[in-house]
Amino acid sequence: MSKDFAQIAADVESGLTLLNGAVPDAMAGFLALGQASHGEGALTAKIKELIALGIAIAVHCDGCISYHAKAVHEAGATREEVAEMIAVAVHMGGGPSVVYGGEALKAFDTFAKSGSKAL
């Protein structure tokens, strides 16, 4: 199962742009929620992105995995941190999370190798 995670992440960003043009008020609210919930606070932005990637694994969302694998890389997570988070996601999500956990690690490696920058 080979996927182009960089392209999937770009497609997600393109979709966000399309929705922003179609339903700007709704997307403004969605983006404001994202900024408010992912900013630094009691939890670091990196921890919040690790949580988001874990949820993406649990809900089996390829676009979410690609988007948040890129974001977690850009937030400074290490491969070891991502792998440990995947272990927790697998524990919580069972067999399907093993499949998507592998996809998440491949996606993280894609962005780590490319040296991607902030979204």
Side-chain angles (χ1 to χ4, degrees):
M1 196 168 27
S2 183
K3 296 180 182 169
D4 184 344
F5 296 105
Q7 184 59 55
I8 293 170
D11 290 346
V12 169
E13 292 173 15
S14 175
L16 290 172
T17 300
L18 285 173
L19 286 172
N20 192 45
V23 285
D25 290 342
M27 289 306 291
F30 178 75
L31 294 172
L33 176 62
Q35 290 173 343
S37 61
H38 284 265
E40 295 285 334
L43 298 175
T44 65
K46 178 175 77 172
I47 295 296
K48 291 175 182 182
E49 281 301 335
L50 285 164
I51 292 168
L53 184 55
I55 292 169
I57 293 167
V59 300
H60 313 152
C61 176
D62 287 334
C64 303
I65 287 171
S66 295
Y67 185 90
H68 290 289
K70 181 178 181 182
V72 80
H73 164 68
E74 292 167 353
T78 65
R79 191 174 197 274
E80 292 77 16
E81 289 169 325
V82 172
E84 284 187 22
M85 174 279 302
I86 290 170
V88 173
V90 166
H91 175 248
M92 297 303 293
S97 291
V98 172
V99 173
Y100 283 88
E103 294 297 297
L105 196 55
K106 289 176 193 174
F108 177 83
D109 288 346
T110 295
F111 296 111
K113 289 176 186 169
S114 74
S116 70
K117 301 297 178 214
L119 297 174

